[in-house]
Amino acid sequence: MSFFGQVNRMFDAAAAHTEHPEGVLHQIRACDNICRIEFPLKRDDGAIEVIKGYRAEHSHHKQPTKGGIRYATSVSVDEVMALAALMSYKCAIVDVPFGGAKGGVHIDRRDYSDAELERLTRRYTFELARKNYIGPGIDVPAPDYGTSSREMAWILDTYNQLEHNELNSLACVTGKPVGQGGVRGRTEATGRGVFYGIRQACQFEDDMKELGLEPGIEGKTVVVQGLGNVGYHSAKFLQDGGAKLVGFAEIEGAIHDPDGMDIDAVMKHRRETGSIMDFPGATNIAASAEALELECDILVPAALEGVITEENAPRIKARIVAEAANGPVTSAADQILQDNGVLMIPDVYLNAGGVTVSYFEWLRNLSHVRHGRMSRRFEERNAERILRAVDELTAESFDDRLLDSLIKRIGFGASEEDLVNSGLEDTMAFAYDEVRVIRKEKDVDMRTAAFISAINKIAKSYADMGIFP
Ligand code: GLU
């Protein structure tokens, strides 16, 4: 089944638990616009290569549409449609007021020089702009698999050349470098969100009991597949939260150490040797995919879609599968894992941290001011005023040194990063609880509950527009 077909299958399973008329459901499910482009790239050796690019805008119930741009050989019309649909549902679940979109360029980025990547990114942006598929109020790309803040800076610069008088042009793309209008905390946002989501799931005693696990992250064994931006940061925050990282899988193979490994040491080893293999103290696993079947409490697939299929799903031993990637579990595999009593924390919820912080970046760009700039010093002074008042009211009971140290500890204003992280934490915790309530009420799995939440919210925005009943 196609990837978009699989997403629709999950949608339909959830839609069956709602009361919306079929026409409304059809409109929510349908992919509104697709742009397919082919353009020439002059390679460094002078040869001309024709590059295929796409952008799908799935839903315009909120505008702009939003979603990353990936550079991968898996990119196709079907893939961008599926991923754009997931973006619509994802944004709805975490109350980020965007429709869903996704773009992609069909290349293996490792085959291209930096100069070639820059040329093709700029040309791709130009094509999107020409076709009205990019703009602060139209469609706002972001990083995804194979792209980073560097590509986003090229996109912004190209857009600026075309729309040189647009006041809000910084908001045409998110995930930019901080010096180019990016927001602090965006790079690690998806991984941080994955951590907040898993932590929220693990704090419910009754849910953990059903899985035969203790509540909390502390001491949980984790396997992470994919050490790109999302995988690395998910692992890092889980490790900082007290989890034990017992396995890592990458393209070159996988490593296993039941005693746990330090993520930064693994990354350093990979930088130095070009591979995660032969990490001191760990066992090599030549076939990377076998790492998914390792004994662990939490499995975090954080690379591409379709890595857990009906073939390997019966051998997965993890009690929790936390989908940091988009679509890592096929719908047939999902069923097998559910039947085996695995708690699936679905992608549409779990990796929404990236787009949530993209939303904060977009707001920053539209307001033309760094978050917290107006209030930071005021908050700091206010805390100081309160402490001094308490001191006075309690008849000067603090000695001066204690008062000074209290002011230093409590009396600080929130920085942009503090605000971004707290907004992200609140968003992830709130959305989890909301989906969990639906899960209990309807007696369904988390993915179906997450889709029900998305469908209800999108249907409501159409109803609020007066378009549908
Ligand atoms: N590519 C990320 C995702 O799949 C982020 C999208 C965005 O920030 O717009 O959610």
Side-chain angles (χ1 to χ4, degrees):
M1 190 191 280
S2 70
F3 189 11
F4 190 46
Q6 306 219 23
V7 173
N8 285 338
R9 196 155 120 180
M10 295 168 192
F11 179 100
D12 291 339
H17 294 273
T18 69
E19 306 279 297
H20 307 294
E22 178 45 37
V24 174
L25 293 170
H26 193 161
Q27 170 55 29
I28 299 173
R29 201 169 39 212
C31 183
D32 293 351
N33 300 336
I34 303 165
C35 165
R36 183 187 151 282
I37 45 191
E38 291 190 77
F39 56 88
L41 169 73
K42 193 168 191 177
R43 301 291 307 250
D44 290 342
D45 65 3
I48 297 294
E49 185 181 322
V50 177
I51 303 284
K52 285 191 175 68
Y54 308 88
R55 183 81 182 164
E57 293 175 348
H58 172 261
S59 177
H60 289 80
H61 69 286
K62 301 259 172 175
Q63 285 178 64
T65 50
K66 186 87 189 77
I69 291 176
R70 63 168 54 182
Y71 288 176
T73 48
S74 60
V75 169
S76 66
V77 176
D78 173 57
E79 191 188 62
V80 290
M81 278 165 71
L83 293 169
L86 287 175
M87 284 308 303
S88 295
Y89 308 138
K90 192 186 299 189
C91 290
I93 290 162
V94 291
D95 293 323
V96 163
F98 297 136
K102 187 73 85 177
V105 177
H106 184 272
I107 55 160
D108 181 342
R109 56 167 300 146
R110 292 169 303 180
D111 297 342
Y112 297 82
S113 69
D114 288 348
E116 288 170 338
L117 288 172
E118 176 170 354
R119 284 201 291 280
L120 82 82
T121 303
R122 288 182 180 281
R123 179 63 189 257
Y124 173 72
T125 309
F126 175 81
E127 295 294 332
L128 291 184
R130 217 156 61 127
K131 296 175 172 66
N132 223 16
Y133 272 81
I134 182 170
I138 301 169
D139 188 354
V140 182
D144 198 88
Y145 186 91
T147 57
S148 67
S149 57
R150 182 182 72 161
E151 283 74 18
M152 302 308 116
W154 291 331
I155 292 174
L156 171 65
D157 189 52
T158 309
Y159 185 82
N160 267 336
Q161 286 168 15
L162 295 165
E163 307 288 338
H164 55 89
N165 202 23
E166 190 174 318
L167 181 63
N168 291 323
S169 64
L170 273 181
C172 77
V173 61
T174 62
K176 303 178 290 290
V178 173
Q180 298 285 320
V183 79
R184 285 164 187 82
R186 174 64 185 83
T187 307
E188 54 273 43
T190 311
R192 188 183 276 277
V194 167
F195 167 67
Y196 288 145
I198 297 176
R199 191 182 65 183
Q200 194 69 10
C202 288
Q203 65 151 22
F204 291 100
E205 224 167 292
D206 41 347
D207 294 357
M208 288 303 105
K209 208 165 160 197
E210 273 176 33
L211 300 169
L213 298 174
E214 292 296 318
I217 293 277
E218 189 74 39
K220 292 247 172 349
T221 53
V222 179
V223 171
V224 180
Q225 181 246 357
L227 288 175
N229 178 37
V230 178
Y232 165 70
H233 284 107
S234 303
K236 174 91 180 134
F237 289 114
L238 283 164
Q239 173 174 294
D240 292 349
K244 201 199 288 183
L245 306 173
V246 296
F248 295 111
E250 252 300 337
I251 296 177
E252 63 269 21
I255 49 174
H256 178 219
D257 184 349
D259 294 330
M261 293 169 277
D262 177 73
I263 176 66
D264 286 313
V266 172
M267 296 303 280
K268 185 163 173 270
H269 173 80
R270 190 174 195 225
R271 267 194 308 275
E272 282 166 6
T273 66
S275 162
I276 57 170
M277 305 304 269
D278 301 321
F279 181 70
T283 315
N284 284 340
I285 303 172
S288 180
E290 279 173 24
L292 299 166
E293 301 163 25
L294 286 171
E295 195 77 52
C296 63
D297 298 323
I298 308 172
L299 173 62
V300 185
L304 283 174
E305 61 267 19
V307 292
I308 302 179
T309 62
E310 55 200 306
E311 194 278 313
N312 59 357
R315 297 191 299 276
I316 302 282
K317 297 182 196 73
R319 303 305 297 139
I320 299 174
V321 173
E323 296 184 330
N326 288 308
V329 178
T330 65
S331 47
D334 187 55
Q335 194 51 53
I336 297 170
L337 294 172
Q338 306 283 357
D339 292 347
N340 290 345
V342 175
L343 173 66
M344 307 287 301
I345 314 181
D347 52 359
V348 267
Y349 157 72
L350 192 65
N351 68 30
V355 75
T356 301
V357 175
S358 276
Y359 171 45
F360 301 155
E361 180 175 334
W362 184 75
L363 291 174
R364 176 199 166 141
N365 297 151
L366 295 181
S367 62
H368 299 265
V369 64
R370 183 181 74 238
H371 295 298
R373 180 170 173 179
M374 311 280 280
S375 55
R376 184 175 172 155
R377 193 55 67 95
F378 181 82
E379 283 173 15
E380 199 173 298
R381 293 274 151 77
N382 222 19
E384 184 174 339
R385 273 193 292 271
I386 292 168
L387 283 169
R388 289 197 189 284
V390 172
D391 184 37
E392 256 174 55
L393 283 170
T394 53
E396 307 206 355
S397 62
F398 304 156
D399 79 35
D400 285 353
R401 287 229 317 274
L402 174 64
L403 187 60
D404 279 352
S405 108
L406 282 174
I407 288 171
K408 274 209 188 77
R409 265 188 290 146
I410 305 172
F412 69 91
S415 68
E416 179 167 79
E417 201 161 358
D418 294 328
L419 292 169
V420 162
N421 292 345
S422 111
L424 174 60
E425 184 174 3
D426 186 55
T427 302
M428 294 306 292
F430 186 84
Y432 189 90
D433 293 354
E434 207 170 49
V435 171
R436 186 172 175 272
V437 167
I438 299 175
R439 177 190 176 206
K440 300 263 161 187
E441 251 172 39
K442 305 269 182 192
D443 192 21
V444 291
D445 56 89
M446 278 305 274
R447 189 189 314 281
T448 308
F451 270 82
I452 294 173
S453 169
I455 293 169
N456 286 343
K457 287 179 185 178
I458 299 175
K460 180 163 186 322
S461 48
Y462 279 124
D464 289 347
M465 280 188 263
I467 297 179
F468 295 131

